[in-house]
Amino acid sequence: MTNIEGKTCVITGATSGIGLTAAHALAALGARLALVGRDRTRGDAALSELRSRAPRLQAKIRYADLSRLDEIRRLGAELTAALPRIDILINNAGALFQRRSLTADGMERSFALNHMAYFVLTEALRQRLVASAPARIVNVASEAHRGAALDFDDLQLEQNYRGLTAYNRSKLCNILFTRELARRLAGTGVTANCLHPGFVATRFGDENGGLFRVGLAFAKRLFAISPEQGALTSVHVATSPAVEGISGKYFDKCALATPSPAAEDDAVAQRLWQESARLAGLPATP
């Protein structure tokens, strides 16, 4: 890690889990923090916890439901207006939903929160990131992408929905999005990389009920790593001098890793970008 005194870092999903743990690490390295959360009670508690450990910390939290396009656009406008520069953007918020449900925009919830939020917020902040270059975009993906494939005839799983399938596909989207984003940002001084944080003992999956939640809780007790371990790769990709100039790559355990062949398909990455832009009402420029 390197000292990032005075640099501004935006982190989504920052009120618990690896997002909050990464915020603590970045605060210790001197960053100014722009945190994003959904729950005000957890958010206020997270901000108090951060300030108790770093009394001189410059930090503010904003609230948004990142499954809704209007909320993401509002958040992007607020951040752009409030922050003269953005040096690091960590897209971290995400969830797994056992049952299929739709957002206010009519999108499947896993796809909306885990992928479209990354896409739309990054686009909203892109000009500020480029103006702040050198800057870094860090997208939290997962090894769960392995074995997943996108079906553009049923991208949001209207047929045969399974929560894990939706989650795995959304994590594949994160890697494909990162790959295409890096291509589009080439020459701007802004890099985009993604990572696998590990199977981490957080609130992940707790929104679900029944046997699914019980089974997931049991798996966490047996196999999960701590949030401190899970945040290491996010912080490494966001700050390490060893990552300077690297873009479009996938990291695991603070090292370069090779994702699945499906995650390295440039044609699929470009098509996903075009479809995401269409859903968001944004121009699908080459």
Side-chain angles (χ1 to χ4, degrees), residues 8-81:
T8 299
C9 178
V10 175
I11 313 174
T12 69
T15 59
S16 63
I18 62 174
L20 177 56
T21 305
H24 278 290
L26 293 164
L29 293 171
R32 297 187 178 112
L33 300 181
L35 310 176
V36 178
R38 182 173 57 88
D39 184 279
R40 288 185 178 273
T41 300
R42 284 199 303 270
D44 291 346
L47 195 56
S48 295
E49 180 183 324
L50 283 160
R51 286 177 171 157
S52 70
R53 297 191 192 181
R56 298 177 61 189
L57 174 66
Q58 295 184 54
K60 184 171 182 179
I61 187 163
R62 290 174 172 81
Y63 297 97
D65 179 350
L66 295 181
S67 70
R68 297 177 53 128
L69 295 177
D70 59 345
E71 290 276 289
I72 303 169
R73 293 189 185 104
R74 174 186 59 77
L75 173 67
E78 288 180 3
L79 290 169
T80 301

Side-chain angles (χ1 to χ4, degrees), residues 175-194:
I175 303 175
L176 291 166
F177 164 59
T178 302
R179 192 174 182 89
E180 178 63 7
L181 178 62
R183 184 185 73 82
R184 290 168 178 258
L185 288 171
T188 66
V190 181
T191 59
N193 292 292
C194 57

Side-chain angles (χ1 to χ4, degrees), residues 108-126:
E108 189 276 313
R109 200 174 174 194
S110 299
F111 179 81
L113 177 62
N114 296 355
H115 165 62
M116 289 298 293
Y118 285 27
F119 180 85
V120 177
L121 183 59
T122 301
E123 283 297 286
L125 301 180
R126 190 207 281 221

Side-chain angles (χ1 to χ4, degrees), residues 77-106:
E78 288 180 3
L79 290 169
T80 301
L83 303 176
R85 60 181 299 113
I86 300 174
D87 302 282
I88 300 166
L89 167 63
I90 301 180
N91 287 306
N92 169 77
L96 185 156
F97 303 103
Q98 182 187 13
R99 299 184 183 279
R100 190 177 193 273
S101 62
L102 301 181
T103 68
D105 303 294

Side-chain angles (χ1 to χ4, degrees), residues 163-183:
L164 282 173
T165 300
Y167 179 77
N168 296 350
R169 282 190 181 185
S170 72
K171 295 292 103 179
L172 174 60
C173 287
N174 294 159
I175 303 175
L176 291 166
F177 164 59
T178 302
R179 192 174 182 89
E180 178 63 7
L181 178 62
R183 184 185 73 82

